Amino acid sequence: MKYTIRHAGPQDCREIMRLIVELSVYEKLEEQVNITHKELEVDGFGENPFFKCLVAEVPEDKRTKEGHTVVGYSMYYFAYSPWKGRSICMEVLYVMPDFRGQGIGKALMCGIAKIGWDNKCTRLQFVVLDWNKPSIDFYKSHGAQNVTEKEGWQEMRIDDNAMEKLAQMAPKI
Amino acid sequence: MNFTIRHARSCDCEHIMRLIMELAVYENMSEQVKITSKELERDGFSNHTFFKCLVAEVPEEHQTKEGHTIVGYCLYFYTYSTWEGCVIYMEDLYVMPEFRGNGIGKAMMCRIAQIGRQSECVRLQFSVLNWNKPSIEFYKSHGALDLTEKEGWHAMRFEVAAMEKLAQMTGATEHKNS
């Protein structure tokens, strides 16, 4: 099946939001989605972007039943390892179920790797849920290592009230 | 003990590198450190920055045996959650052992939380090694959740060789800019 991988623009935000919600349902965490396409527009395409995005698009004759041609996306941003230097983080990689098996997911991931490579990054990092065996197998088949298993890294988060509490205790700079 | 938390400057990079090495040794991973203060200067203090940093400094009368006044650092950057929006990511938090117990680590973490709030971030995220019980307890005591335990998130990584292989495969797909 023909498809193109391209950089997302602000006009793609509604489509990206549609796919974000689809993925959250797949991960059984849909009640955690608290943003809309408006936040995506500001945060990804404003003065100080927090992320960038690649989208996968099929031709009109292959569009979904609902008429969509954007069938996958990968959101990424740059990060830093104090040991290895620049790294690129793949926050999300998602392809609509009906469009899997065509190489689209792999093409998106390779696109991220190339962007990272071109920017002198030495790592491509991401997280995956431990029960998501198909995804884990896919990543491992391309050389990914599970650093939670291998090195013992635990992902931690402080949010909402706990974060506000800490912020209020901050010393003046 | 008096201390100040301030934004790092380009001239602090050698000290930050010194502390990065100390932390790597503490985590039993010193052989993995491949960058120098030059990369820190380029990547943190030029036109395109990949990170920001806070440092903790003590007055001259409390300097270390070697004469250092920078005794801690916290390296951070911004990331994004497709569910919640902007996130501030605390990549490293380190205080020299002889300066612990004075609230320096907590002060830096609080400052990160404040910077995050000012940037409208809704999350402060970081990783910690599962054997590092003192740090895990410290973070949990301030409301941190362990997402690996709680939700099953595993950190994955492509290192250089695997990454290069993927990067070289992009030519096989049709690719155009928007």
Side-chain angles (χ1 to χ4, degrees):
Chain A
M1 179 189 288
K2 251 189 116 177
Y3 57 87
T4 52
I5 307 295
R6 61 169 174 81
H7 293 287
Q11 74 282 1
D12 294 313
C13 287
R14 279 181 195 268
E15 291 296 284
I16 297 168
M17 200 63 228
R18 172 177 62 81
L19 298 176
I20 285 172
V21 172
E22 272 190 34
L23 177 54
S24 70
V25 168
Y26 172 70
E27 288 177 343
K28 306 176 179 121
L29 294 164
E30 66 266 29
E31 75 286 355
Q32 294 201 27
V33 180
N34 286 319
I35 63 166
T36 70
H37 70 274
K38 288 193 166 86
E39 280 77 29
L40 288 184
E41 279 176 36
V42 169
D43 298 336
F45 303 93
E47 261 187 59
N48 293 313
F50 283 79
F51 67 86
K52 291 179 193 289
C53 217
L54 295 178
V55 292
E57 195 157 29
V58 296
E60 285 282 337
D61 56 320
K62 296 279 185 259
R63 62 183 188 265
T64 70
K65 279 182 305 207
E66 296 82 8
H68 304 297
T69 54
V70 173
V71 300
Y73 77 107
S74 184
M75 178 182 281
Y76 69 95
Y77 39 76
F78 292 100
Y80 207 75
S81 157
W83 300 344
K84 304 282 199 222
R86 299 174 182 185
S87 68
I88 189 162
C89 285
M90 186 169 67
E91 172 65 22
V92 180
L93 175 64
Y94 181 72
V95 178
M96 294 176 70
D98 292 344
F99 294 85
R100 292 180 193 164
Q102 318 278 348
I104 295 177
K106 183 175 166 184
L108 284 165
M109 184 172 68
C110 292
I112 302 291
K114 175 121 184 12
I115 290 166
W117 193 256
D118 291 344
N119 282 279
K120 300 182 168 48
C121 297
T122 54
R123 286 177 167 173
L124 193 174
Q125 299 181 167
F126 53 102
V127 293
V128 67
L129 285 160
D130 61 0
W131 54 258
N132 193 345
K133 297 280 175 257
S135 293
I136 293 177
D137 289 344
F138 168 71
Y139 295 129
K140 282 186 164 176
S141 75
H142 291 288
Q145 300 169 35
N146 184 330
V147 294
T148 291
E149 277 179 8
K150 184 171 178 250
E151 295 174 12
W153 290 103
Q154 307 283 108
E155 294 292 311
M156 308 285 287
R157 183 202 299 158
I158 295 178
D159 50 14
D160 300 324
N161 296 332
M163 188 178 172
E164 181 64 39
K165 231 171 145 180
L166 288 176
Q168 284 168 5
M169 288 191 277
K172 283 198 172 61
I173 288 196
Chain B
M1 179 190 286
N2 245 332
F3 60 87
T4 50
I5 307 297
R6 61 169 175 80
H7 293 292
R9 299 185 280 263
S10 171
C11 55
D12 295 321
C13 287
E14 288 200 11
H15 287 287
I16 299 169
M17 202 63 230
R18 169 176 60 82
L19 298 175
I20 286 171
M21 278 307 300
E22 276 190 31
L23 178 53
V25 167
Y26 172 70
E27 289 176 344
N28 302 321
M29 293 186 195
S30 54
E31 74 289 352
Q32 293 204 28
V33 180
K34 302 290 184 210
I35 64 164
T36 70
S37 61
K38 284 197 168 71
E39 281 77 28
L40 288 183
E41 278 182 50
R42 179 195 65 183
D43 298 333
F45 301 93
S46 63
N47 279 340
H48 181 193
T49 59
F50 286 74
F51 70 87
K52 293 179 192 290
C53 201
L54 298 176
V55 291
E57 198 158 26
V58 295
E60 292 270 341
E61 66 260 31
H62 291 298
Q63 69 195 220
T64 69
K65 281 184 303 213
E66 296 82 6
H68 303 305
T69 54
I70 291 178
V71 300
Y73 77 101
C74 186
L75 191 147
Y76 68 99
F77 43 80
Y78 295 97
T79 66
Y80 202 77
S81 157
T82 50
W83 302 339
E84 300 273 8
C86 308
V87 173
I88 190 162
Y89 195 93
M90 188 169 67
E91 173 65 27
D92 264 7
L93 174 66
Y94 180 73
V95 178
M96 294 176 72
E98 58 266 45
F99 291 89
R100 293 178 195 166
N102 292 296
I104 296 177
K106 183 177 167 185
M108 285 195 287
M109 186 173 66
C110 290
R111 186 65 186 124
I112 296 294
Q114 187 185 56
I115 290 168
R117 281 314 227 200
Q118 286 164 352
S119 305
E120 299 185 12
C121 296
V122 295
R123 286 179 175 173
L124 193 176
Q125 293 192 180
F126 52 101
S127 304
V128 67
L129 286 160
N130 60 11
W131 55 258
N132 194 346
K133 298 281 176 258
S135 293
I136 293 176
E137 280 167 18
F138 167 73
Y139 294 129
K140 282 184 166 178
S141 75
H142 290 290
L145 307 171
D146 183 331
L147 301 176
T148 296
E149 269 182 15
K150 185 171 179 254
E151 294 177 9
W153 290 101
H154 281 221
M156 306 284 288
R157 189 196 293 158
F158 288 105
E159 297 280 14
V160 169
M163 191 177 161
E164 187 178 10
K165 228 168 147 183
L166 290 176
Q168 284 168 359
M169 285 193 268
T170 51
T173 63
E174 205 180 326
H175 194 131
K176 67 175 186 217
N177 290 338
S178 64

